[in-house]
Amino acid sequence: ARHGMEALVILSSDPHLSEYLPEHWQVRQWLSGFHGSAGTLVITSDQAALWTDSRYWDQVAHDLNGTSIQPMYQGHPDVPSPTKWLIKQLPEGRAAHMDFRTLSTTAWQHWHDQLTPHGLSVADAGDLFDHVWPDRPALPAQPIYAHRSPYACRHVTDNLAAVRQAMTQASAQWHLLSSLDDIAWLFNLRGSDVPFNPVFLAHALVGQDAASLFVAPGALPESLADELAREGITVRSYDDIDAALRGIPADQSILADPDRTTVSLLELCEHLRIVSQPAPSQMLKACKSLEEIEHVRQTMEYDGAALCEFFAWFESALGQEPITELTIDEQITLARSRQPGFVSPSFGTIAGFNANGAMPHYQATPQRHDTIEGDGLLLIDSGGQYLGGTTDITRVVPVGHVSAQQKQDFTLVLRGMIALSQARFPTGTPGGLLDATARMPLWQQGLDFGHGTGHGVGYFLNVHEGPQSISPRLSGSAATGLRAGMITSNEPGLYRPGKWGIRIENLVLAQAAQTTKFGEFLQFETLTLCPIDTRCIDVAMLSNTDRSWLNAYHAEVRTRLATKVSGAAADWLHQRTQPV
C-alpha cells in the first residue's frame, strides 16, 4: 500500500533465473510457507493465491493449511491462470508489479501479452523484502574453484572460441550471460553458492577479444584470477555488471538469451542492438564430449556401487532397527560419500513411503516424515554430484507384502521406461515427440502422470539442464532437439494419491545408431547401473522384448559393478540381477 501497488507477483526466481535458489532469494517460500521448488504467489490488497503444478498439489495444500493463501492447482481445468485471475481482480489501468531483477524477458512478454488487452500492465516492483524480512540471509559468496583435468575435458580457450564463433554467426559483438551453469561451464569453474548445484553467483560479459567475470569480491582465489587473466578474462565485482553494460558503446550488438536474462539487465542494454536467441553454451555443454562421456560411465559405476551398498544395508536393517524416510537420505548420502570423486547430493533426496511416494517432489522433514514399516512401496529418487559427472536415479522397492495392483502399476511404468530406452529416432527430434513412447502402456489402461518423462542432465553441473527435455509440454523447436552426446533422464511414473507412487528412472545417452538415405538416426545407451527390483513386477505382463531388455540390463549391471562391491553389497547385487 505504501508503494501504491494493488497486486504483487512473486516468482520462484532470482537474478540468475535458477531452479534452486540461495536462501536470500527464497522470498516466495519465506512469505508463504510453501517449500516446493516451483510456485507463483500473487498478492492483492485483500487476497493471496499460490499456483503450483501437479507435482506439488498435495504438498501445497499441506503447507498452506491455516494460512489465508488460497492454493491454486495449476493445470486443473477449473483453475484460472495467474493472469486470468488478476484480470478479474484488478480494474483497468492498474498494474501487476513484479521484481524485474528476477523476471526473464520471455516471462515478461507472456505477462504483458496476457494483461495488456484487458487494460492492465506489468510494472517493476523492485525488491520490497529488505523492508519486511528482518533476518533475511545475505547473498552467498562461497569460494570458487577450478574444475581441472582429468575431469575438465575442454579448455577455457576452446569454450570461449566456440561461443565467439556462435556470436559471429549471430552478428553479435558481445554476449551477456547470467545463467550460473552456463558461466561455470564456460570458465571451467565450480562453486557451492546454490544448494546441490556446483555453481556460484556470477554474471559474464563476453566480447570478441576479451571477457569479464563478475563475482563476489574475495570469492575467487588470486591465483585462479591470474590463470583467467592469462586467458584474457578479467575478474570484476559482482555488482559491476550494471556499469559494464552501460559502458558498451552505443549501436553495438549484444546476444542475450530471453529465457535466461532478466528484464532489469536487458533494460541496461537499450542503447544496443539486442540479438535475442538461446545462449550458445546451452547446446555446447549439453552435447558431452567423448572424454566426458567416459568419465560419466565411470561415475555411474561408482554410483551404482554406492547404491548396492545402500540397498544391502536397507534390506538387512528393515524390521531390525527404526528406519524413517529421513534415514534413507542419511544412509544413501553416506554410501555415496565413500566413492571416489563424490562432492555432494545433486538434489534433495526424495524418499516417499506409500502415500508420500504419490507426491512426485515430496520432501521428508524432521516435522513431517514416516517410518518405513508394514506393507507397501518405498520410492527413492536420489543423485550425486561427482567430479566426473552428475547422477539421478529413482527406484521403487517393496516393503513387506506387495499387492497385485501395485505390481500391475509398477510393471506398466517399467514397460514405458523400457520402450523409451529402446527408441530410435532421427537426429534433432524434439523430446516432446518421444514422450508418448513412455506413456503408451499407461495410456492403454487409461492412466497417465503429470510430469515430463525426462530432463537434460549436466556434467558435474545442474541435475536439470537444457535445452532438451522429454515432455508433452515441450515445443517442437529445433533448438531443443535431441543430439548425440546429450544425457537425459528416462523417468515415467504413476501416482495414486493417498496410496502409493511409482517412478523408475535411468539416465540415457543419445548416441549415433545408423545413417541411411533418410538421415542420421540416434539411439539411447542406458548409463545408470542399478538393479530394478523384480519383486515388484508382474512378469506375466512383460512382452518377450521387455523381458530380454530387462535381463540384458541386469546382466550388464552385474558385470560392470561386480569388481566394485564386496561382502553384503556383492551378495545383494547378485541376488537382485537374476534373470526373469
Side-chain angles (χ1 to χ4, degrees):
R2 288 198 305 271
H3 290 81
M5 301 177 188
E6 292 195 354
L8 179 65
V9 179
I10 302 168
L11 306 174
S12 303
S13 186
D14 69 357
H16 306 281
L17 305 172
S18 302
E19 177 184 12
Y20 296 99
L21 308 179
E23 289 186 2
H24 179 86
W25 288 108
Q26 290 178 4
V27 175
R28 186 266 303 153
Q29 177 177 308
W30 172 79
L31 189 60
S32 69
F34 169 59
H35 288 74
S37 66
T40 298
L41 175 63
V42 183
I43 303 170
T44 67
S45 58
D46 59 356
Q47 295 188 65
L50 194 151
W51 281 257
T52 192
D53 61 47
S54 61
R55 296 173 298 170
Y56 297 108
W57 284 0
D58 287 346
Q59 182 179 342
V60 74
H62 176 274
D63 289 355
L64 298 185
N65 185 38
T67 75
S68 60
I69 304 170
Q70 180 181 0
M72 304 292 278
Y73 303 111
Q74 188 173 333
H76 191 281
D78 297 329
V79 174
S81 67
T83 52
K84 290 182 178 179
W85 186 82
L86 274 172
I87 289 165
K88 292 184 177 181
Q89 303 298 320
L90 298 180
E92 288 192 23
R94 303 303 185 181
H97 285 78
M98 312 172 78
D99 186 349
F100 281 9
R101 293 176 305 164
T102 67
L103 179 68
S104 74
T105 55
T106 298
W108 177 90
Q109 191 66 55
H110 167 78
W111 284 85
H112 173 80
D113 291 347
Q114 294 291 313
L115 296 180
T116 300
H118 298 273
L120 304 177
S121 60
V122 185
D124 187 8
D127 186 354
L128 304 182
F129 288 89
D130 278 340
H131 304 289
V132 298
W133 189 350
D135 54 350
R136 186 177 189 178
L139 285 174
Q142 297 298 311
I144 300 169
Y145 57 95
H147 189 216
R148 298 193 183 279
S149 177
Y151 301 109
C153 304
R154 315 190 208 202
H155 196 273
V156 175
T157 303
D158 298 327
N159 291 347
L160 284 169
V163 168
R164 285 171 173 146
Q165 182 181 7
M167 290 166 57
T168 299
Q169 292 172 349
S171 300
Q173 294 155 296
W174 299 90
H175 178 30
L176 169 63
L177 277 171
S178 293
S179 45
L180 303 184
D181 58 331
D182 287 300
I183 294 170
W185 174 87
L186 182 63
F187 297 113
N188 275 356
L189 300 174
R190 298 294 189 268
S192 55
D193 281 348
V194 179
F196 309 118
N197 297 325
V199 297
F200 50 93
L201 298 191
H203 300 283
L205 188 59
V206 180
Q208 289 292 355
D209 301 313
S212 295
L213 175 64
F214 302 84
V215 296
L220 193 75
E222 187 174 341
S223 59
L224 198 48
D226 291 341
E227 288 183 38
L228 295 175
R230 290 193 286 272
E231 303 294 339
I233 302 163
T234 303
V235 178
R236 301 176 62 175
S237 173
Y238 179 78
D239 294 328
D240 284 351
I241 183 62
D242 292 13
L245 292 173
R246 290 193 188 99
I248 298 175
D251 301 325
Q252 293 197 6
S253 57
I254 187 166
L255 190 160
D257 188 331
D259 292 335
R260 295 168 181 82
T261 306
T262 63
V263 175
S264 62
L265 283 182
L266 212 60
E267 286 178 339
L268 300 173
C269 303
E270 289 180 338
H271 63 296
L272 305 173
R273 184 177 68 84
I274 298 173
V275 179
S276 182
Q277 67 180 49
S281 48
Q282 282 284 297
M283 186 63 71
L284 291 168
K285 68 179 170 55
C287 297
K288 278 58 177 178
S289 69
L290 295 177
E291 294 83 1
E292 288 170 337
I293 291 167
E294 280 305 309
H295 284 301
V296 171
R297 290 187 180 116
Q298 179 67 67
T299 293
M300 290 296 175
E301 294 181 1
Y302 295 145
D303 204 58
L307 291 166
C308 289
E309 179 185 328
F310 163 77
F311 280 116
W313 164 83
F314 175 75
E315 291 190 15
S316 65
L318 189 62
Q320 303 301 313
E321 61 182 85
I323 301 176
T324 72
E325 294 165 334
L326 295 175
T327 315
I328 300 299
D329 179 31
E330 295 166 1
Q331 291 294 327
I332 209 165
T333 301
L334 180 63
R336 284 191 168 105
S337 70
R338 300 188 183 104
Q339 295 298 321
F342 178 75
V343 176
S344 75
S346 57
F347 56 95
T349 299
I350 299 169
F353 184 50
N354 282 341
N356 291 339
M359 295 180 276
H361 277 215
Y362 167 78
Q363 287 284 313
T365 67
Q367 297 76 32
R368 184 191 183 198
H369 62 271
D370 283 351
T371 299
I372 314 302
E373 60 185 0
D375 295 327
L377 298 176
L378 173 63
L379 184 153
I380 305 173
D381 188 349
S382 69
Q385 293 285 7
Y386 296 80
L387 294 175
T390 301
T391 71
D392 182 3
I393 174 175
T394 308
R395 290 293 185 264
V396 173
V397 296
V399 176
H401 173 73
V402 180
S403 70
Q405 181 65 67
Q406 289 171 331
K407 287 186 177 183
Q408 290 173 20
D409 285 354
F410 185 96
T411 308
L412 290 172
V413 174
L414 175 62
R415 289 179 57 205
M417 193 275 288
I418 292 174
L420 183 57
S421 302
Q422 296 179 308
R424 185 169 288 199
F425 49 92
T427 296
T429 298
L433 298 182
L434 297 176
D435 181 82
T437 305
R439 295 179 191 267
M440 193 59 66
L442 293 164
W443 285 352
Q444 289 172 338
Q445 303 300 318
L447 303 169
D448 202 358
F449 55 95
H451 56 76
T453 301
H455 56 82
V457 178
Y459 176 69
F460 186 36
L461 275 174
N462 294 1
V463 72
H464 292 163
E465 176 182 271
Q468 85 280 14
S469 71
I470 300 175
S471 169
R473 295 178 292 276
L474 187 69
S475 69
S477 168
T480 62
L482 290 163
R483 289 168 173 78
M486 287 182 168
I487 296 176
T488 311
S489 69
N490 173 3
E491 49 179 312
L494 179 59
Y495 309 95
R496 296 192 182 272
K499 296 181 179 179
W500 60 78
I502 295 164
R503 185 166 62 254
I504 306 172
E505 177 186 16
N506 284 337
L507 299 189
V508 294
L509 169 71
Q511 57 182 192
Q514 65 180 136
T515 300
T516 72
K517 63 181 180 180
F518 296 99
E520 297 178 351
F521 287 78
L522 302 178
Q523 62 187 4
F524 287 130
E525 171 192 341
T526 296
L527 296 170
T528 303
L529 298 171
C530 181
I532 296 166
D533 205 307
T534 57
R535 294 173 295 176
C536 296
I537 298 174
D538 182 343
V539 178
M541 293 174 60
L542 296 177
S543 68
N544 290 335
T545 300
D546 296 331
R547 200 187 313 256
S548 295
W549 183 93
L550 183 62
N551 288 338
Y553 174 68
H554 277 161
E556 181 181 7
V557 170
R558 185 168 58 251
T559 299
R560 297 267 301 276
L561 299 185
T563 60
K564 298 286 192 299
V565 294
S566 59
D571 293 340
W572 180 87
L573 172 67
H574 179 75
Q575 183 179 12
R576 294 286 165 250
T577 55
Q578 292 302 304
V580 297

